[in-house]
Amino acid sequence: MTVSLESYVKGLPKAELHVHIEGTLEPDLMFELAKRNSVEIPYSTVDDVAAAYSFVDLQSFLDIYYEAASVLVTEQDFYDLMAAYLRRAAADGVRRAEIFFDPQTHTGRGVGYDIFMPGFLRAIDDLEGEVGISAGLILCYLRHLSGEAACETFREASAYHHRLLGVGLDSSEVPNPPQLFADAFELARVAGLRAVAHAGEEGPPAYVTAALDHLGVERIDHGVRSEEDEVLVGRLVESEVPLTMCPLSNLALGVLDRLQDHNLKRLMDRGVKVTVNSDDPAYFGGYIADNYVAVAEALDLSRSDLAQLARHSLEATFASWEDRAGWISELDVYVAGHA
Ligand code: HPA
Ligand code: ZN
């Protein structure tokens, strides 16, 4: 029996490797939290929100995204945000989620690690039991702030280092190259953590190379512009460093004008370990399965291409070898059952 594209995609066991928890704040929850915490927001209806979410570039999105985070105040708010995302991800076939959070967005307004970390961790523990999803956290440094502020942010997290998978780098990419954060990544490496970074979303391929050379990253978030540098593409293929691509995000932020122009399939065909992810699903019009479906339609991907993308995602997680092997055999069974 041939199932619909959507049903095939949702059934594929997969990992989500590029999602910002603050970017999963749906308008409904934003309204609820604004009310709960008596925080003023510049919207009163879902239509107001929809009108505000028309972005022209990364910065125009970030301005709205940081402002919305102000409704997150209590431990329960962070719990509710994380629990809603994990339920939604599990419904899309996500077995493993490695989730970004931006501590400086919260500490900068007086909401500390002792508030958000217990909320995130309690939700992860509960939802692992409830829907069987495995999840971990990646602390992202905000690159529009200084390298010294990033180091301080890592030190402030010391009580939680053992509950982190790794560190990442996000926010305004240009003109904030990776090498400014080498010390903050070194602190994380010494603490035994893994490393990823956003690079080549709006910034040049040289930022991708710098993230590999100066930060020791094991995955590149986005990496769309890597294609402009032949040597870099060769390096990504040879080193098997995955790209965590987010097609609906790229479309919403004007990284490309049409999804048909996305280079995900071209890079995959050249041997780059490409994955599909959602980035900020509450802002960009879709969760991970929506991203798979949109890119499948735009680029005419086969079911075997889709299974390959899911396989890459499971291989690219920071989970144990045993966990990865288990999810990959689940994928093999799924693919064989849908041949
Ligand atoms: N790029 C950089 N920073 C971000 C993004 C992104 O796509 N989403 C949330 N913070
Ligand atoms: Zn991102």
Side-chain angles (χ1 to χ4, degrees):
M1 189 189 65
T2 314
V3 299
S4 72
L5 174 62
E6 187 188 346
S7 149
Y8 181 77
V9 160
K10 288 200 168 175
L12 275 172
K14 61 178 77 63
E16 168 121 278
L17 305 174
H18 185 161
V19 61
H20 303 261
I21 196 63
E22 295 87 356
T24 69
L25 178 60
E26 290 288 342
D28 286 349
L29 184 58
M30 176 168 62
F31 287 129
E32 187 183 324
L33 299 182
K35 195 165 160 212
R36 198 193 278 177
N37 297 317
S38 307
V39 173
E40 295 257 359
I41 49 171
Y43 321 107
S44 33
T45 66
V46 172
D47 284 348
D48 295 343
V49 175
Y53 289 6
S54 73
F55 312 113
V56 294
D57 57 12
L58 175 58
Q59 193 60 50
S60 63
F61 154 70
L62 291 171
D63 293 342
I64 285 188
Y65 160 84
Y66 293 132
E67 179 181 60
S70 66
V71 303
L72 296 159
V73 180
T74 67
E75 190 259 11
Q76 187 65 39
D77 301 341
F78 291 94
Y79 178 95
D80 292 347
L81 181 69
M82 181 62 77
Y85 166 70
L86 292 172
R87 275 199 194 95
R88 186 66 186 74
D92 273 4
V94 173
R95 299 296 192 275
R96 166 78 171 178
E98 302 191 347
I99 304 165
F100 299 139
F101 69 107
D102 289 337
Q104 289 154 297
T105 297
H106 312 301
T107 56
R109 57 192 175 85
V111 174
Y113 281 93
D114 57 330
I115 306 279
F116 53 81
M117 289 304 288
F120 290 151
L121 294 171
R122 187 162 63 85
I124 287 172
D125 291 346
D126 283 359
L127 273 288
E128 283 187 348
E130 189 183 316
V131 297
I133 193 170
S134 162
L137 293 168
I138 297 177
L139 181 163
C140 279
Y141 301 125
L142 294 182
R143 66 201 303 164
H144 68 271
L145 302 176
S146 70
E148 188 38 54
C151 291
E152 189 50 34
T153 292
F154 188 74
R155 291 192 197 100
E156 282 168 19
S158 60
Y160 298 99
H161 287 170
H162 67 292
R163 295 295 312 259
L164 299 175
L165 296 170
V167 294
L169 183 65
D170 65 3
S171 191
S172 319
E173 187 179 2
V174 181
N176 304 303
Q179 51 271 32
L180 300 175
F181 300 89
D183 290 348
F185 275 71
E186 178 62 12
L187 288 177
R189 195 191 63 76
V190 168
L193 300 187
R194 317 292 290 260
V196 300
H198 283 56
E201 179 185 18
E202 288 188 342
Y207 282 21
V208 178
T209 302
L212 296 168
D213 288 344
H214 297 280
L215 307 182
V217 299
E218 297 172 79
R219 299 193 297 247
I220 294 288
D221 299 314
H222 292 299
V224 184
R225 292 192 57 195
S226 304
E227 199 184 26
E228 296 168 28
D229 178 341
E230 279 301 308
V231 173
L232 174 59
V233 173
R235 182 174 177 183
L236 293 172
V237 172
E238 205 255 328
S239 61
E240 298 181 32
V241 168
L243 302 184
T244 66
M245 302 191 108
C246 307
L248 290 175
S249 164
N250 296 153
L251 187 64
L253 301 187
V255 171
L256 30 91
D257 294 330
R258 310 177 323 147
L259 222 40
Q260 288 88 331
D261 299 331
H262 205 287
N263 60 14
L264 176 150
K265 167 78 171 146
R266 281 200 302 276
L267 288 169
M268 182 160 79
D269 287 346
R270 294 185 62 181
V272 178
K273 203 159 175 168
V274 170
T275 66
V276 170
N277 307 272
S278 72
D279 209 4
D280 301 283
Y283 292 87
F284 301 147
Y287 284 77
I288 191 169
D290 303 310
N291 275 272
Y292 272 77
V293 167
V295 86
E297 286 174 341
L299 303 181
D300 200 21
L301 300 185
S302 66
R303 302 224 164 174
S304 122
D305 292 330
L306 293 167
Q308 182 68 11
L309 288 164
R311 184 177 306 274
H312 284 165
S313 74
L314 297 169
E315 289 170 351
T317 73
F318 294 147
S320 69
W321 185 88
E322 289 85 354
D323 282 345
R324 280 183 289 160
W327 297 317
I328 291 166
S329 37
E330 243 193 287
L331 174 65
D332 288 336
V333 169
Y334 184 82
V335 168
H338 288 79

